[in-house]
Amino acid sequence: MEPNPGTLAGSISIRSDQEEAGFESLQFREEIQRLIAVPPENASSFTALLELPATQAMELLHSPHSEDGDPAPLSADSLHGISDDHKSYISSFNGNLAFPSNKALVERAAKFSVFASGENSPETSLVPSNSSANLEKVKSEPAETDSNPNSSQPLISDPTVESKTQRSAKRKEREKKGKGCTKKSKNETSKDAQKLPYVHVRARRGQATDSHSLAERARREKINARMKLLQELVPGCSKISGTALVLDEIINHVQSLQRQVEFLSMRLAAVNPGVDYNLEGLFATESGSLVESNFPSMVAPLVCPEIPFNGNRQHYQQQWHFDALQQPLWGREEASHTFINPENSLLSYDSANSASLHSNQLKMEL
Amino acid sequence: MISKGATWNSNSCRIKFARRFVSALLHMRNRNTRPGSLTIEGVRTHTQRIKIAAYLSMAQAVGSRRAWSRAVLSKHGSRARRHSRMGRSSVGLKKTRVIRSYPPGELGQAKKLRQLVPGGKTMDMCSLLEETAHYIKCLATQVKVMQTLADNFSK
């Protein structure tokens, strides 16, 4: 089994330089089939292929995950344990490999490690986002190590060692998941091989794998998360299902809140000139408190005919006396201009409040 | 932990808003000693000014962290107010021209929501929803504060 992985890895690594996707994928699959025929199909075979102890292999693969700092030196350290026949074909490379290919393969190895550990499909959606974030870090590492061919070799060994395992992993995944998505996984491999410099996200079963649809899906998930938050904020929205109705409810809520602000500002405007915050100066008379209580009730009805009520604020309507609506309306306007006439006209009203109110008004105007 | 953060946030927001709003009200009332305030029009103008003061003080309490507060502040800032009072300025016209190219996604209700939330015209759907959530939270605190104020002062 030892010569097989060596030759396979060598052939694969050579071909990765050329980057001819479709041809590559076919070749890979045949080789992987040969490879798979021999070892047993379980997770431990992955580590057996690497010929490393399991922990070290996991560490190697998880190093892009950890976000702890330098994945490349870590991998370099753990790769010192690789056997000589691996290193023999490693040395055949210059340092001129396309580093984007390394990143993508490393990332795919990382994904496979998740499969090996748990086979949790929900994790895969998280892992790709993590690993895509980590790709940035891994990218910075090759840039630094570019000048140093010695340390670049361990990096090269990573993809070469891991590429065959990924191919085997993909093969296993395909076999495990069934025939329905073979086409899609084929497209996946070919497209992934083509798009090596770009970010990769493992697609779920039955979903498209273009970068556009992936971005759209991410965007949709974001929007759905925000909608959920909004549903919690707006009372009575969590029971409603469907985006359109929820949005309607949200719009209604915002509108009602804005209307509330308007009514409250009206109340405050009514209160404001009547009640002063200093409680000194303006209302020097003893009837000050009486006026304060009555003034808002008299002034508010003035303004309320103009505002469309639609009946959603009950307690506002209770305070306003619609009986006295029309009369104070022009009674008020006259009072602002003349002193004498309003007094006479107002004395004809039933409410004693208005009389005291007007007496105070006169005082204010003085 | 989430609820704790939320209450702390709303408390500080509320306190800041209350302070600013009350000081604005005082300022307005001190300015507004002429007798014209007793007419309908006077009261209406006063109401309008109080409403604007409420929104402004809320936006100031939030600061420039949120897009909607920035939009409110720019609309009702001292300079912008003079421009808008003088008539349609070039700023307003430019804004209307820019709008139409932006809204993607769910069109029908999102349009209405954009009109409601300040600054919502130039946001994409995702940030619009986020701003709406924060805006609703702040509006609720605003209403509560104004309610207690009105209750206390009309007794």
Side-chain angles (χ1 to χ4, degrees), chain B residues 35-146:
Chain B
S37 62
L38 295 174
T39 59
I40 295 180
E41 275 309 311
V43 178
R44 200 185 293 168
T45 334
H46 200 208
T47 316
Q48 189 73 15
R49 263 189 256 143
I50 287 185
K51 189 175 77 166
I52 292 177
Y55 284 124
L56 250 182
S57 49
M58 193 57 179
Q60 281 169 357
V62 168
S64 300
R65 282 176 273 144
R66 287 278 156 185
W68 67 264
S69 68
R70 286 194 291 266
V72 170
L73 286 172
S74 66
K75 193 169 76 156
H76 291 302
S78 56
R79 295 290 171 93
R81 192 185 291 161
R82 276 177 224 149
H83 284 306
S84 63
R85 291 255 176 96
M86 287 180 188
R88 298 288 167 184
S89 68
S90 58
V91 177
L93 286 175
K94 269 180 210 164
K95 236 183 177 180
T96 52
R97 258 182 243 154
V98 169
I99 292 167
R100 287 309 134 208
S101 58
Y102 269 77
E106 322 174 31
L107 293 171
Q109 301 112 342
K111 198 168 66 170
K112 228 178 172 183
L113 196 55
R114 282 172 205 276
Q115 288 169 0
L116 285 176
V117 176
K121 298 184 182 171
T122 51
M123 286 193 251
D124 58 328
M125 191 61 187
C126 199
S127 46
L128 180 69
L129 290 178
E130 198 179 336
E131 297 292 323
T132 312
H134 195 259
Y135 185 58
I136 288 177
K137 234 185 343 174
C138 293
L139 267 184
T141 56
Q142 193 173 341
V143 162
K144 267 186 236 164
V145 170
M146 288 174 80

Side-chain angles (χ1 to χ4, degrees), chain A residues 19-306:
Chain A
E19 291 187 358
E20 288 181 2
F23 194 69
E24 254 184 305
S25 59
L26 287 172
Q27 297 270 335
F28 287 159
R29 223 172 304 119
E30 288 164 21
E31 286 155 356
I32 288 160
Q33 278 171 7
R34 267 180 277 141
L35 181 66
I36 296 299
V38 178
E41 288 195 9
N42 50 1
S44 58
S45 64
F46 165 58
T47 56
L49 285 173
L50 277 186
E51 298 181 40
L52 282 175
T55 54
Q56 232 182 347
M58 283 301 144
E59 195 189 18
L60 171 68
L61 288 170
H62 281 295
S63 58
H65 266 302
S66 59
E67 290 188 7
D68 281 341
D70 298 340
L74 183 67
S75 58
D77 288 337
S78 50
L79 277 171
H80 288 324
I82 291 183
S83 57
D84 288 337
D85 57 352
H86 285 282
K87 284 190 177 165
S88 60
Y89 61 81
I90 288 167
S91 56
S92 64
F93 287 101
N94 329 337
N96 287 344
L97 260 196
F99 280 105
S101 61
N102 297 345
K103 290 165 247 162
L105 294 171
V106 163
E107 196 234 352
R108 260 179 280 151
K111 272 178 257 172
F112 178 68
S113 70
V114 175
F115 287 141
S117 58
E119 290 277 0
N120 289 332
S121 51
E123 269 186 16
T124 57
S125 54
L126 294 175
V127 164
S129 59
N130 274 338
S131 40
S132 63
N134 289 326
L135 270 184
E136 315 292 338
K137 297 213 170 180
V138 182
K139 273 181 196 168
S140 62
E141 294 306 328
E144 288 163 28
T145 57
D146 201 2
S147 55
N148 192 358
N150 288 331
S151 55
S152 70
Q153 286 172 1
L155 274 177
I156 297 163
S157 70
D158 267 346
T160 56
V161 164
E162 289 151 3
S163 61
K164 56 180 193 290
T165 59
Q166 282 148 24
R167 297 288 176 247
S168 66
K170 288 222 171 122
R171 185 86 187 122
K172 280 182 202 171
E173 185 210 344
R174 252 179 267 150
E175 289 175 11
K176 278 179 189 169
K177 287 198 170 170
K179 313 91 203 166
C181 66
T182 44
K183 244 192 204 170
K184 289 206 172 113
S185 45
K186 280 182 204 169
N187 288 339
E188 212 182 312
T189 50
S190 59
K191 278 183 184 169
D192 284 346
Q194 267 174 347
K195 289 196 235 162
L196 287 172
Y198 297 100
V199 172
H200 289 278
V201 177
R202 172 79 48 151
R204 284 183 280 238
R205 183 187 174 168
Q207 291 185 343
T209 62
D210 331 319
S211 60
H212 294 298
S213 55
L214 288 174
E216 267 181 41
R217 203 185 321 141
R219 189 172 152 267
R220 255 181 278 148
E221 280 169 12
K222 258 170 96 178
I223 287 182
N224 287 336
R226 305 261 163 93
M227 287 286 289
K228 256 192 236 167
L229 277 176
L230 271 172
Q231 271 185 304
E232 285 164 26
L233 262 186
V234 177
C237 224
S238 47
K239 300 169 199 163
I240 303 176
S241 57
T243 327
L245 295 173
V246 168
L247 271 180
D248 278 339
E249 199 57 41
I250 292 170
I251 288 172
N252 282 339
H253 193 243
V254 171
Q255 276 174 339
S256 75
L257 280 175
Q258 284 179 340
R259 256 180 262 141
Q260 261 180 306
V261 168
E262 185 152 355
F263 288 149
L264 279 170
S265 66
M266 194 177 27
R267 266 184 77 186
L268 282 172
V271 164
N272 215 356
V275 180
D276 54 349
Y277 303 91
N278 300 329
L279 283 175
E280 35 185 63
L282 204 66
F283 295 123
T285 60
E286 65 279 5
S287 62
S289 57
L290 189 66
V291 170
E292 285 162 58
S293 56
N294 295 328
F295 194 75
S297 61
M298 295 310 288
V299 173
L302 284 180
V303 208
C304 69
E306 279 90 15

